[in-house]
Amino acid sequence: MSADYMFIMKSSEDGSFSDGGLQRFGKIELNPAACVLNYGQGIIEELKAYKKPDNSILLFRPEEHGLRMRVGAERLLMPAPTVEQFVEAVKVTVLENRRWVPPPNKGFLHIRPLLIGSGPVLSLTPAPEFIFLILVTPMGDYSRGGLEPINLVVENEIHLAVRGGAGSVKAIGNYAAILKAHVEAKANGFSDVLFLDSVHQRYVEETSTANIFLVKDKIISTPTLEEGTVLPGVTRKCVIEIARSQGYQVEERLVSVEELFEADEVFCTGNAVHLSRVGSITYLGKRVSYCESEPAVVSQQLHQELSNIETGHTEDKLGWTVIMK
């Protein structure tokens, strides 16, 4: 379901962005030789807007998403809006579509910024022109409060990222390459795929759209970003900060697939899944289940705190939210 308006801004010859504005939601024109169509030069972002009981609207860490887009754009040789332009464009788009923001506790407005190489090229070269676009759509709480466990299967042949590649940015081509594994997992009854590193095929990296954490003896571990193959998720960053503020030890390191079979809890974080606990993981035909007869205490605690801040149910002492009247 599409909202009323979308935001569009084009780059100038010097690579800067200006004179953007709202348009009625609809189709856009692209030259068949557009770089994004032929060579995949494009980046996506995603964030949320929530409605509070007083009818104000809350954005969650839009600056982090604007900064991540700029980092990704640099990797793909693309100019990008400034963080200030990004945040202002998000605000304008959300406010103009505010009638589409679901009521409190009923869902959120999904915000999808895109940066694409729209200029025509017929050889492997950066596009001469770029479009920054934002579209929004209302969604229900498809994380189901983080209480509905998800079931993962470890992929052994297809890899999400390689060292030296673009796994650390939200390049649009990253997702097309894993559709086969994702669709097959769904067809076999799993919620998503968990990918391993491409070198040793032993270390856990992330799922199709989420970062992963495991808990063992109250120590929380998550795959390191240092290899350049794991996306620096904004939700991931928030959960690490919240966990440490609550006294948990959090380790960012290489996590072997064998450790999953010894973990007390496993959970995923991301804009789509929010913070969702993992009910089971299957690897080479062997299945391990988590918290079948007892609550996932750490996952639930972190989920509740994150949700309270994100939706404005508790005071934001960390300065993560932006409130719009």
Side-chain angles (χ1 to χ4, degrees):
M1 183 182 296
S2 301
D4 298 322
Y5 296 95
M6 60 184 182
F7 184 94
I8 292 183
M9 183 164 55
K10 296 183 178 181
S11 65
S12 304
E13 290 185 4
D14 63 358
S16 63
F17 286 83
S18 61
D19 301 325
L22 294 167
Q23 298 182 18
R24 295 292 300 187
F25 181 86
K27 298 178 180 178
I28 62 172
E29 289 189 3
L30 282 178
N31 189 308
C35 190
V36 67
L37 299 180
N38 291 271
Y39 298 105
Q41 192 179 27
I43 293 174
I44 62 172
E45 272 297 331
E46 51 187 350
L47 59 159
K48 301 172 183 174
Y50 290 91
K51 184 172 287 185
K52 299 181 66 177
D54 63 1
N55 211 40
S56 62
I57 297 174
L58 187 149
L59 298 175
F60 188 71
R61 305 199 80 169
E63 300 89 353
E64 286 289 329
H65 291 277
L67 178 60
R68 187 170 65 176
M69 175 170 274
R70 288 187 60 82
V71 172
E74 182 180 0
R75 172 65 179 83
L76 300 185
L77 289 181
M78 306 171 71
T82 65
V83 173
E84 293 76 16
Q85 287 177 314
F86 180 98
V87 173
E88 184 60 28
V90 168
K91 289 180 178 179
V92 168
T93 308
V94 170
L95 288 175
E96 197 63 29
N97 290 290
R98 68 182 305 148
R99 77 184 186 95
W100 292 97
V101 184
N105 305 314
K106 297 295 185 181
F108 55 89
L109 190 70
H110 179 81
I111 307 164
R112 169 56 60 83
L114 301 97
L115 181 62
I116 60 174
S118 55
V121 294
L122 288 177
S123 61
L124 185 56
T125 185
E129 183 182 85
F130 297 85
I131 292 177
F132 172 66
L133 183 149
I134 300 176
L135 59 94
V136 298
T137 185
M139 288 191 173
D141 184 12
Y142 50 72
S143 72
R144 300 183 184 181
L147 302 178
E148 187 73 20
I150 61 176
N151 300 301
L152 305 178
V153 60
V154 178
E155 172 60 40
N156 299 304
E157 297 181 1
I158 296 174
H159 297 283
L160 176 61
V162 297
R163 291 183 184 178
S168 62
V169 302
K170 287 184 75 69
I172 60 175
N174 289 349
Y175 300 95
I178 60 170
L179 279 174
K180 184 176 185 293
H182 184 73
V183 170
E184 288 180 354
K186 290 277 191 179
N188 289 323
F190 297 101
S191 308
D192 203 350
V193 181
L194 180 58
F195 293 94
L196 301 178
D197 76 290
S198 62
V199 177
H200 306 284
Q201 299 196 57
R202 180 190 176 196
Y203 297 105
V204 173
E205 294 196 327
E206 55 187 327
T207 73
S208 302
T209 58
N211 296 113
I212 191 162
F213 291 76
L214 63 85
V215 183
K216 179 64 177 177
D217 299 329
K218 301 299 182 181
I219 298 175
I220 302 172
S221 301
T222 190
T224 178
L225 302 179
E226 293 181 357
E227 301 296 315
T229 53
V230 174
L231 185 74
V234 175
T235 309
R236 173 189 184 274
K237 182 177 182 179
C238 295
V239 167
I240 289 173
E241 293 183 43
I242 291 172
R244 286 174 173 161
S245 72
Q246 294 182 348
Y248 288 105
Q249 178 181 337
V250 181
E251 299 178 349
E252 299 178 72
R253 59 177 177 81
L254 293 176
V255 177
S256 70
V257 67
E258 291 85 3
E259 292 181 65
L260 298 174
F261 289 88
E262 304 296 330
D264 301 321
E265 298 178 39
V266 178
F267 60 89
C268 292
T269 64
N271 191 73
V273 301
H274 193 256
L275 190 157
S276 294
R277 74 178 184 89
V278 174
S280 73
I281 295 178
T282 300
Y283 175 55
L284 297 178
K286 182 180 179 181
R287 177 186 174 107
V288 58
S289 299
Y290 307 98
C291 302
E292 293 182 291
S293 59
E294 56 187 29
V297 176
V298 178
S299 303
Q300 291 183 6
Q301 181 180 346
L302 294 176
H303 176 273
Q304 190 63 52
E305 181 65 18
L306 177 63
S307 296
N308 286 341
I309 297 174
E310 196 173 43
T311 58
H313 285 95
T314 190
E315 181 184 359
D316 175 19
K317 298 180 180 179
L318 300 168
W320 288 351
T321 56
V322 175
I323 298 177
M324 301 182 295
K325 301 296 185 179

